[in-house]
Amino acid sequence: MKAIIGCLNSKYIHASLAPWCLFAGVKAFAKNDYDIKVLESTINGNIHDFAQKIILENPQVVSFSCYIWNITQTLYACKEIKETLDCKIILGGPEVAYRPHDILEKYDFVDFVLSGEGEWNFPLLLDNINDNLKLVDGLTYRNNNEIVTNPEKEYNETPPSPYSEEFYNNLKGRIAYIETSRGCPYRCAFCLSGRCSKLRFFDMTQVKKDIINLANSGTQTVKFVDRTFNANSKRANEILTFIKENYGTKIPENICFHFEIAGDTLTKETLEILSQMPIGAVQLEIGMQSFNEDTLKKINRKTNTEKLIKMGMKVGENFNRVNGVILDPSHCWLIEIGDNVTMAPRVHVLCHDASTKQFIGYTKIGRVTIGNNVFIGADSVILPGVTLGKHCVVAAGSVVSHSVPSYSICAGCPAKVIKTYDFETKEWKKVEKTVSGNYK
């Protein structure tokens, strides 16, 4: 039997790990031999062409990993494939696993939805796809006129490594992803990760082997997809120390490691290791859901906001911080945020800049002050020493390297003031000659 494992990535640079996890599961656990092939494209490509590429393979089974960013295009491709081929369509991934019954009710071209860990139940489904579907954990399927869901199974083992020869041949310098733990220590009401199995950690020997191999694969970035990398501080420190000790020898000097961490659980030991990392070796993504304790309680999130504040960060009332915002955790005492401040996705507020150390021998450090009623657009960067006056707007994608006066709109890289508020006319007026500079 021939099976295609498909995936539509958000961009070409992102090489999804999910299809290769399924591929590894089939090789490790399937009782029968299958002709398995992974095919990838992007949501920005021609979906018709991608569907036709799969149709030309003439598979009996087609599976897709579904996420919020690719579900529409994935369903379009599945419909086209099903109209041409007599095959079984299997969907898995977070965007369908939490609503399998709804998926099968709405889309008659989808045959199965898998929930749970695909390394185990995907090969089990292939082995039983024409026989006893009751044996497949986490499977939702049609039984005559009824939609049936089998209970999920909890696994405690380390899954088989997805880093096969086929994976490396397909990577081609794109971002490489690594998973060293599975599950989430939190149960946030708004997040699908909260419905996963309990947190468990993978074999450390295998993790270190994978780090070395990925670092030498031709990629420039190795991104850890652990929900909270420092959920276990001792383990996180061991991995960070391993990277530090091998950087420049077994690990090429141009590699950057990206981690998603919780700022309120950072320990002194972790910060000490991070401070010793080579320039450019580490990138941190720190999420803070809210500074409002009532909000945190309602979303079932336990966050030690007091710890960050005790470390010196000053935060006013009604601070709206969207996912992906990074507030410099190692220098958070230099950040002051006023009332009614909104930071859109992936805003970075930096109080230190280590890029200067390579050239002038020291790191630039400066306080960042954000006034009341300020909006900072997505993907903007606020650099050390910047003051944003009250009622400011920072346009998306801006790099703010100088302070901005109150009642101003700034944009660009580097950001310059493009509009100011005229109190006499009560209008925002365009600045004929863009302004940049330090303001108090």
Side-chain angles (χ1 to χ4, degrees), residues 224 229 239-240 243 257-261 282-285:
F224 285 68
F229 174 71
I239 292 174
L240 290 171
I243 292 172
F257 293 90
H258 181 105
F259 305 92
E260 295 183 25
I261 68 173
V282 170
Q283 188 177 72
L284 299 179
E285 182 176 337

Side-chain angles (χ1 to χ4, degrees), residues 185-186 226-233 236 259-267 270-271 274 284-289 301-304 307-308 311 321 327 329:
Y186 304 103
D226 305 59
R227 269 68 167 189
T228 306
F229 174 71
N230 62 330
N232 182 321
S233 295
F259 305 92
E260 295 183 25
I261 68 173
D264 62 318
T265 60
L266 277 171
T267 64
T270 303
L271 289 171
L274 289 170
L284 299 179
E285 182 176 337
I286 304 174
M288 180 66 195
Q289 285 63 40
R301 178 66 184 237
K302 295 180 180 179
T303 303
N304 190 351
K307 180 176 179 180
L308 289 176
M311 290 173 69
R321 182 173 182 239
L327 302 174

Side-chain angles (χ1 to χ4, degrees), residues 90-91 100 104 111-116 121 124-125 128-129 132-142 147-153:
I90 306 170
L91 299 185
L104 292 188
D111 296 288
F112 305 106
V113 176
L114 272 176
S115 303
N121 59 12
L124 191 59
L125 175 56
N128 294 278
I129 202 163
N132 194 353
L133 296 175
K134 293 181 180 180
L135 296 176
V136 185
D137 56 278
L139 178 67
T140 299
Y141 59 99
R142 298 183 187 89
I147 295 177
V148 179
T149 298
N150 298 337
E152 293 183 35
K153 183 178 178 180

Side-chain angles (χ1 to χ4, degrees), residues 12 24 58 269 355 388 424:
Y12 173 77
N58 195 28
E269 292 79 9
S355 64
L388 298 179
E424 291 185 3

Side-chain angles (χ1 to χ4, degrees), residues 40-322:
E40 295 179 84
S41 186
T42 75
I43 58 173
N44 302 307
N46 189 308
I47 305 303
H48 168 74
D49 288 349
F50 182 58
Q52 289 299 314
K53 186 176 181 180
I54 292 175
I55 290 170
L56 288 174
E57 294 286 340
N58 195 28
Q60 288 72 56
V61 174
V62 178
S63 69
F64 280 94
S65 297
C66 303
Y67 303 90
I68 191 171
W69 62 82
N70 72 6
I71 185 63
T72 300
Q73 294 88 341
T74 296
L75 290 170
Y76 179 92
C78 290
K79 187 174 186 296
E80 184 170 344
I81 293 167
K82 194 74 169 185
E83 288 173 349
T84 304
L85 289 182
D86 180 18
C87 66
K88 300 295 186 182
I89 300 287
I90 306 170
L91 299 185
E95 192 59 24
V96 297
Y98 78 99
R99 55 181 184 127
H101 193 280
D102 179 57
I103 293 294
L104 292 188
E105 274 195 336
K106 287 185 176 180
Y107 307 106
D108 58 1
F109 51 85
V110 177
D111 296 288
F112 305 106
V113 176
L114 272 176
S115 303
E117 302 194 35
E119 292 96 339
W120 284 274
N121 59 12
F122 181 66
L124 191 59
L125 175 56
L126 294 183
D127 286 338
N128 294 278
I129 202 163
N130 296 314
D131 298 311
N132 194 353
L133 296 175
K134 293 181 180 180
L135 296 176
V136 185
D137 56 278
L139 178 67
T140 299
Y141 59 99
R142 298 183 187 89
N143 184 13
N144 296 321
N145 295 323
E146 183 184 5
I147 295 177
V148 179
T149 298
N150 298 337
E152 293 183 35
K153 183 178 178 180
E154 194 168 281
Y155 295 92
N156 296 313
E157 303 93 331
T158 294
S161 174
Y163 306 116
S164 60
E165 181 181 351
E166 292 88 347
F167 168 86
Y168 285 113
N169 290 338
N170 191 69
L171 186 58
K172 298 177 182 177
R174 295 181 291 167
I175 295 174
Y177 294 89
I178 182 171
E179 184 183 28
T180 71
S181 66
R182 186 168 292 180
C184 184
Y186 304 103
R187 291 294 180 266
C188 300
F190 59 84
C191 182
L192 292 178
S193 295
R195 69 175 298 277
C196 297
S197 58
K198 66 180 182 180
L199 177 63
R200 74 181 194 275
F201 301 95
F202 296 166
D203 177 71
M204 184 62 81
T205 300
Q206 184 65 48
V207 167
K208 292 178 179 179
K209 178 182 176 182
D210 290 340
I211 289 173
I212 297 297
N213 288 339
L214 288 172
N216 289 277
S217 67
T219 186
Q220 298 295 307
T221 303
V222 177
K223 190 169 184 177
F224 285 68
V225 296
D226 305 59
R227 269 68 167 189
T228 306
F229 174 71
N230 62 330
N232 182 321
S233 295
K234 182 179 180 181
R235 181 183 172 87
N237 292 345
E238 182 177 350
I239 292 174
L240 290 171
T241 300
F242 176 79
I243 292 172
K244 177 173 69 74
E245 292 177 347
N246 288 278
Y247 204 82
T249 53
K250 293 181 180 180
I251 297 174
E253 290 184 347
N254 63 333
I255 301 298
C256 176
F257 293 90
H258 181 105
F259 305 92
E260 295 183 25
I261 68 173
D264 62 318
T265 60
L266 277 171
T267 64
K268 291 182 179 179
E269 292 79 9
T270 303
L271 289 171
E272 179 63 26
I273 297 169
L274 289 170
S275 70
Q276 299 170 11
M277 282 290 189
I279 296 172
V282 170
Q283 188 177 72
L284 299 179
E285 182 176 337
I286 304 174
M288 180 66 195
Q289 285 63 40
S290 176
F291 280 94
N292 187 297
E293 294 296 338
D294 289 336
T295 300
L296 291 171
K297 184 177 181 180
K298 288 178 180 179
I299 64 172
N300 303 323
R301 178 66 184 237
K302 295 180 180 179
T303 303
N304 190 351
T305 55
E306 292 300 321
K307 180 176 179 180
L308 289 176
I309 294 172
K310 283 180 179 179
M311 290 173 69
M313 183 185 296
K314 295 181 180 179
V315 179
E317 296 181 356
N318 194 29
F319 176 36
N320 183 17
R321 182 173 182 239
V322 187

Side-chain angles (χ1 to χ4, degrees), residues 324-336:
V325 170
I326 295 178
L327 302 174
D328 198 333
S330 60
H331 295 75
C332 62
W333 59 86
L334 296 175
I335 299 175
E336 183 174 351

